[in-house]
Amino acid sequence: MPAPATADTPCQEYEKVLTAAQAAAPALAAMTLTERAGLLRAVAGALRAQADELVPMADADSSLGVPRLTGEVERTAGQLEMFAEAVEEGSWLEAIIDRAGPDLRRMLIPLGPVAVFGASNFPFAFGLAGGDTAAALAAGCPVVAKAHPAQPRLSDAYARVVVDALHAAGAPEGTFAVVHGMENGRKLVTDARIAAVAFTGSTAGGRALADLAAARPSPIPFYGELGSLNPVFVTREAARVRGKEIAVGFLASMSLGAGQFCTKPGVLFVPAGYGLEDLIAAEAATAPMRLLHEGIGTAFRAEAARLAAHPAVRPLSVPEQDAADESVVRPVLVGTTVTELARSSGPLLVECFGPFALVVTYTDDAELPAAVDLLEGNLTATVHGEPSGDPVAPALLRTLTARAGRVIWNGWPTGVTVGWAQHHGGPYPATTSVHTSVGVTAMRRFLRPVAYQSVPDAVLPPELRDANDLGIPRRVDGALTAASLTAPR
Amino acid sequence: MPAPATADTPCQEYEKVLTAAQAAAPALAAMTLTERAGLLRAVAGALRAQADELVPMADADSSLGVPRLTGEVERTAGQLEMFAEAVEEGSWLEAIIDRAGPDLRRMLIPLGPVAVFGASNFPFAFGLAGGDTAAALAAGCPVVAKAHPAQPRLSDAYARVVVDALHAAGAPEGTFAVVHGMENGRKLVTDARIAAVAFTGSTAGGRALADLAAARPSPIPFYGELGSLNPVFVTREAARVRGKEIAVGFLASMSLGAGQFCTKPGVLFVPAGYGLEDLIAAEAATAPMRLLHEGIGTAFRAEAARLAAHPAVRPLSVPEQDAADESVVRPVLVGTTVTELARSSGPLLVECFGPFALVVTYTDDAELPAAVDLLEGNLTATVHGEPSGDPVAPALLRTLTARAGRVIWNGWPTGVTVGWAQHHGGPYPATTSVHTSVGVTAMRRFLRPVAYQSVPDAVLPPELRDANDLGIPRRVDGALTAASLTAPR
């Protein structure tokens, strides 16, 4: 069933939304940390309370299924609560006080209204009130979210839950709103009232918007999470000891969520002569899987067919695709060698969204550094090695940190925990900044420092006053402390 | 005497420099924190030891005078030592360990080779081994500095001191180098081996390079410190109580270093009817001042004349400029009103590098928010108010944080202390990022996070190992600690 079309937000309504977001910015920034945390908890509570209404709409828009989507609502609510806790803890303010020269006190303050472009593969966790929105609200920034065109049923209902929860919790009007339409998306990125953009999606779409943001009279930060191949390297020792386990694990990870994860392992490097290609060919699932929507299905079929027909590859598992429904596809796996890859013309190392992967064979460990050099930036890179007698593995892991934001040992990249230490980002095109889009530190994207010089205590923000009533960690005269200042100024 | 021309770095030499910088990156990153701090201290020591040789060259290139330049060498050395101390302290690594889910450990790692474009107004402190270079080296990034064309005598000698000191202290070859020529500057910004750019200079020049950085196939961060007006607001109460003191302080600050500070107060807002314009007109210095070089003198004369002839302004102090030497100029001060400013066409609120300032009169406190709205982003904004009975002042200060990176109470913006709490940055065009270019936190610009998932202790970088032999502050399972981990993993 094709999704019903949603009308673009009309110009007058767009103006109202942007004016309200701009007006909300100082009011939201002026709320106490406790009040701001309360807003995040209110949204979390509302999402949980209305999951029964929202999940079927998300399923109708995405075919992801009720169990997975129910789990995703919980993850989204948990993420909001994590940020609430972090807001109150206060170390993200990076408060610093120096009293040796002129009294100088620095902290981070909100940037202003943020435009959020969510992804369709996680309708909740990376959607309208997903990680980017949670991080922006936690930082004290109003959010104008661009609705994903593939989620016409879910978007307005999801937005309404967020808007109502914020309103009930005392947020300024205009703290959150949604707009529809591709043209409105471009307008947002160039709108003088927008202070930053967060985007999750394709490299082509993200780059086009990033270029718009950079070309503004007053450029703004564009935080894009774009494409990633998430390479996995298997050492000779690991292939010898547990080749079958690795082959099975890889197939499970590359087809998880029908291969529609930004952390899907899209390329696997294996040593020749250990039978891993054959194992993968034999174990590969060929049953049909439903992709998010027809557009993704059509794009997958075209790209997977192009890659399978590339002169440098041979088929490992290339089942016939069914003609009936474009959004239903079967996994595709092809093989090549490091040598072929290095001399092939035409892109082979590109993200193909959906259940596709490339298995690359190396014949000599000495080929590995050259293989790493062929890679662009990635969200993740994984090494499968053995704990002892396998010196190749640690060296590979270290080399791969130059190409990825998260390096994984003997695991799989799919599955991104949300916490303090997470980093979901990497060298371009994985992301367009030196910041993460998941985890507590994602807040840093929507903040900028301000230093107060010789400002009287009563005029300072509470976070920087002598008393430190909020008990936040601060660096005072060089040393970290959560204490109040008693020494005379 | 015109400065001798310096030849552009030839293509072959440029290639050698970039290849060496790229090769140095992993070796520099692999040095221990103590070793890296040692490099910074070695450069600091060499600068002090060779100040007697370098200062006269800097003076010949800048006319800034031996006492000021001698102080600047000390400031530059002190800055390098501050970063050395910070490197060892380790909180800038933002080390985080989460063990509740899969073992996840995050820290910041160096971005790679950084191109540094220094400014000519502080030949040492913002020059080849100034704040940007010190921050990049502290972050573990090699630096390729673009020599300023106005400093042909100083540049190679200064670079040689840095290169020799780094070599003697055991830095990898290629850790620091200098290139000459405008075309080589553009090449640096688009060079695939360069991972970030730091720039201090004009808005026009900086924006052109920022656009190049954003248009690369793989865009890189461009940290530009461009133009700033540094507005100063005087409340009615402050004008009443200490108008004369403020007028004199303003004139001293706007003409300090012949007005060639990026923090020069270029616009002063004063209440009508307190005689401040007349005081300023009467007290303004008219004696000639020597600018950095002839090009700046010519640009100053043209821009000051354009602004003095603007139909919305009236002269406060507009002395005749001497014809003999273009680089010698007399301070220019003109006046207008908030009303005139708001309705004037043609730019009036623009940075004019040199001893020029605009004095803007307001007749009603209600005009102040509109006046703030006329401002673009600034490095600093200052309020002169009275400690009691002056509610306008705190409100103004809060409003001005939206337009500046450092807000100052009853002081002057010239003079930027180097420490933990400093923020030298602000909304565009003050800077092109949400980071500072001065102070310890300037290091963050040249770092990116990496998360290590389930990586064995021995394979982790020392900063993230259980033992924490380095004793750096880390966030472990949510709590800040410098302790080692003893709990079982």
Side-chain angles (χ1 to χ4, degrees):
Chain A
M1 183 182 77
T6 309
D8 287 6
T9 305
C11 194
Q12 209 177 340
E13 173 66 16
Y14 172 95
E15 277 306 310
K16 247 175 74 182
V17 163
L18 270 287
T19 305
Q22 189 180 28
L28 184 61
M31 291 180 90
T32 67
L33 299 185
T34 310
E35 287 166 345
R36 205 191 293 170
L39 301 185
L40 295 164
R41 293 197 178 102
V43 177
L47 284 178
R48 281 206 190 89
Q50 295 179 63
D52 289 349
E53 185 202 335
L54 296 175
V55 163
M57 296 185 193
D59 189 36
D61 280 346
S62 69
S63 314
L64 288 171
V66 168
R68 141 83 197 263
L69 288 163
T70 303
E72 205 186 308
V73 170
E74 179 50 40
R75 176 197 165 102
T76 308
Q79 182 165 258
L80 286 155
E81 288 165 344
M82 173 198 75
F83 278 115
E85 207 177 308
V87 165
E88 290 177 326
E89 190 263 356
S91 64
W92 58 274
L93 291 158
E94 296 182 8
I96 309 180
I97 299 175
D98 284 344
R99 298 176 297 176
D103 189 284
L104 206 57
R105 301 180 181 221
R106 168 202 188 262
M107 62 179 277
L108 303 184
I109 67 165
L111 264 187
V114 173
V116 170
F117 293 71
S120 62
N121 56 344
F122 285 85
F124 294 107
F126 286 81
L128 295 181
D132 283 331
T133 292
L137 292 176
C141 299
V143 169
V144 180
K146 155 80 170 56
H148 199 288
Q151 292 168 355
R153 298 176 189 84
L154 176 65
S155 294
D156 284 328
Y158 188 6
R160 177 53 49 207
V161 170
V162 178
V163 168
D164 288 351
L166 288 170
H167 176 79
E173 293 308 306
T175 297
F176 179 84
V178 68
V179 298
H180 292 268
M182 199 189 245
E183 196 43 54
N184 282 330
R186 278 191 288 262
K187 258 171 85 174
L188 276 180
V189 174
T190 54
D191 197 302
R193 292 163 293 194
I194 292 294
V197 181
F199 173 95
T200 309
S202 72
T203 304
R207 180 63 192 259
L209 293 178
D211 288 345
L212 282 181
R216 290 165 52 120
S218 175
I220 55 173
F222 182 89
Y223 301 109
E225 195 253 89
L226 312 181
S228 184
L229 267 180
N230 306 300
V232 177
F233 286 78
V234 181
T235 66
R236 211 168 282 284
E237 267 307 285
R240 192 179 61 76
V241 174
R242 49 190 173 88
K244 171 104 190 241
E245 180 194 324
I246 290 170
V248 171
F250 169 70
L251 288 167
S253 183
M254 66 77 65
S255 60
L256 193 65
Q260 300 169 110
F261 281 25
C262 40
T263 51
K264 177 198 79 174
V267 57
L268 178 75
F269 291 86
V270 298
Y274 294 80
L276 261 76
E277 316 92 297
D278 296 341
L279 260 170
I280 286 166
E283 301 278 341
T286 54
M289 306 174 160
R290 182 171 290 279
L291 297 183
L292 287 163
H293 56 83
E294 207 179 301
I296 288 182
T298 306
F300 174 81
R301 285 160 179 253
E303 184 66 357
R306 181 187 75 75
L307 289 162
H310 194 286
V313 311
R314 61 192 183 83
L316 292 181
S317 178
V318 184
E320 190 87 8
Q321 300 290 351
D322 308 334
D325 183 344
E326 284 276 305
S327 63
V328 175
V329 303
R330 296 170 193 270
V332 176
L333 287 131
V334 298
T336 187
T337 64
V338 171
T339 316
E340 285 286 330
L341 197 59
R343 68 171 173 225
S344 74
S345 61
L348 260 174
L349 285 174
V350 288
E351 187 179 0
C352 174
F353 196 75
F356 173 90
L358 178 67
V359 179
V360 184
T361 311
Y362 63 92
T363 51
D364 192 314
D365 292 349
E367 290 173 54
L368 291 171
V372 173
D373 273 348
L374 293 172
L375 298 167
E376 288 192 295
N378 284 281
L379 292 169
T380 72
T382 301
V383 173
H384 277 271
E386 287 307 289
S388 63
D390 191 1
V392 173
L396 247 179
L397 193 97
R398 288 189 194 108
T399 310
L400 283 167
T401 58
R403 292 284 188 281
R406 178 163 55 108
V407 288
I408 299 153
W409 180 270
N410 288 355
W412 300 102
T414 39
V416 181
T417 55
V418 177
W420 286 93
Q422 188 54 274
H423 180 60
H424 193 63
Y428 187 88
T431 43
T432 61
S433 81
V434 295
H435 296 282
T436 183
S437 66
V438 174
V440 173
T441 58
M443 289 170 70
R444 182 61 182 88
R445 296 175 298 164
F446 309 118
L447 297 161
R448 67 178 176 91
V450 168
Y452 298 80
Q453 184 173 320
S454 310
V455 174
D457 205 62
V459 183
L460 285 169
E463 293 86 347
L464 293 178
R465 287 184 197 154
D466 282 359
N468 195 17
D469 286 338
L470 304 170
I472 60 170
R474 310 191 291 190
R475 181 177 298 275
V476 178
D477 301 336
L480 289 168
T481 172
S484 68
L485 309 187
T486 47
R489 291 176 60 180
Chain B
M1 184 179 78
T6 309
D8 288 6
T9 305
C11 194
Q12 207 177 341
E13 173 65 17
Y14 172 94
E15 277 307 308
K16 248 174 74 180
V17 163
L18 270 288
T19 306
Q22 189 180 27
L28 185 60
M31 290 180 90
T32 67
L33 299 185
T34 309
E35 287 167 345
R36 205 191 292 170
L39 302 185
L40 296 164
R41 293 196 179 103
V43 177
L47 284 179
R48 280 204 191 90
Q50 294 179 62
D52 288 350
E53 184 202 336
L54 296 175
V55 163
M57 296 186 193
D59 189 38
D61 279 346
S62 70
S63 314
L64 289 170
V66 169
R68 142 82 198 265
L69 288 164
T70 303
E72 206 187 307
V73 170
E74 179 49 40
R75 177 199 165 102
T76 308
Q79 182 164 258
L80 286 154
E81 288 165 343
M82 173 199 74
F83 278 115
E85 206 177 309
V87 165
E88 290 177 326
E89 191 263 356
S91 63
W92 59 275
L93 291 158
E94 296 183 10
I96 310 180
I97 299 174
D98 284 345
R99 297 176 298 176
D103 188 284
L104 205 57
R105 302 180 182 220
R106 167 200 188 264
M107 63 180 275
L108 303 184
I109 67 166
L111 265 186
V114 173
V116 170
F117 293 71
S120 61
N121 56 345
F122 285 85
F124 294 107
F126 285 81
L128 294 181
D132 284 331
T133 292
L137 292 176
C141 299
V143 169
V144 181
K146 155 80 170 56
H148 198 289
Q151 292 168 354
R153 297 176 189 83
L154 177 65
S155 295
D156 284 328
Y158 189 5
R160 178 51 50 205
V161 169
V162 178
V163 168
D164 288 350
L166 287 170
H167 177 78
E173 292 308 304
T175 296
F176 179 84
V178 66
V179 298
H180 292 267
M182 200 189 245
E183 197 43 54
N184 282 329
R186 279 191 288 263
K187 256 170 88 175
L188 275 180
V189 175
T190 54
D191 196 302
R193 292 162 291 194
I194 292 294
V197 181
F199 172 95
T200 308
S202 73
T203 303
R207 180 63 192 261
L209 293 178
D211 289 346
L212 283 180
R216 288 165 53 119
S218 174
I220 55 172
F222 183 90
Y223 301 109
E225 195 252 270
L226 312 182
S228 183
L229 267 179
N230 307 300
V232 177
F233 286 78
V234 181
T235 67
R236 210 167 283 285
E237 267 308 283
R240 191 178 62 76
V241 174
R242 50 191 172 89
K244 170 103 190 241
E245 179 195 325
I246 290 170
V248 171
F250 169 70
L251 288 167
S253 184
M254 66 77 65
S255 61
L256 194 65
Q260 300 169 111
F261 281 25
C262 39
T263 51
K264 177 197 78 175
V267 57
L268 177 75
F269 291 87
V270 298
Y274 294 79
L276 262 75
E277 315 93 298
D278 296 339
L279 260 171
I280 286 166
E283 301 278 341
T286 54
M289 304 174 162
R290 182 172 291 279
L291 297 184
L292 287 162
H293 56 82
E294 205 179 302
I296 288 183
T298 306
F300 174 80
R301 285 160 179 253
E303 184 66 356
R306 182 188 76 75
L307 289 162
H310 194 287
V313 311
R314 61 192 182 82
L316 292 181
S317 178
V318 184
E320 190 89 8
Q321 300 291 350
D322 309 333
D325 183 345
E326 284 277 304
S327 62
V328 174
V329 303
R330 295 169 194 269
V332 176
L333 287 131
V334 298
T336 187
T337 64
V338 171
T339 316
E340 285 287 328
L341 197 59
R343 69 171 173 226
S344 74
S345 62
L348 260 174
L349 286 173
V350 288
E351 187 180 1
C352 173
F353 196 76
F356 173 90
L358 178 66
V359 179
V360 185
T361 312
Y362 63 91
T363 50
D364 192 315
D365 292 348
E367 291 173 53
L368 290 172
V372 172
D373 273 347
L374 293 172
L375 299 167
E376 287 192 293
N378 284 280
L379 291 169
T380 73
T382 302
V383 173
H384 278 270
E386 287 307 290
S388 62
D390 191 1
V392 173
L396 247 179
L397 192 96
R398 287 189 193 106
T399 310
L400 284 167
T401 59
R403 292 284 188 282
R406 178 163 56 108
V407 289
I408 299 153
W409 181 270
N410 288 355
W412 300 103
T414 39
V416 181
T417 55
V418 177
W420 286 94
Q422 188 55 274
H423 179 60
H424 192 64
Y428 187 88
T431 44
T432 61
S433 81
V434 296
H435 296 281
T436 183
S437 66
V438 175
V440 173
T441 58
M443 288 170 70
R444 181 63 182 88
R445 297 176 296 165
F446 308 118
L447 298 160
R448 67 178 176 90
V450 167
Y452 298 80
Q453 184 172 321
S454 310
V455 174
D457 204 62
V459 183
L460 285 168
E463 293 86 348
L464 294 177
R465 286 183 198 156
D466 282 359
N468 194 19
D469 286 338
L470 303 170
I472 60 170
R474 312 191 289 189
R475 180 176 298 275
V476 178
D477 300 336
L480 289 168
T481 172
S484 68
L485 310 187
T486 47
R489 290 176 62 182

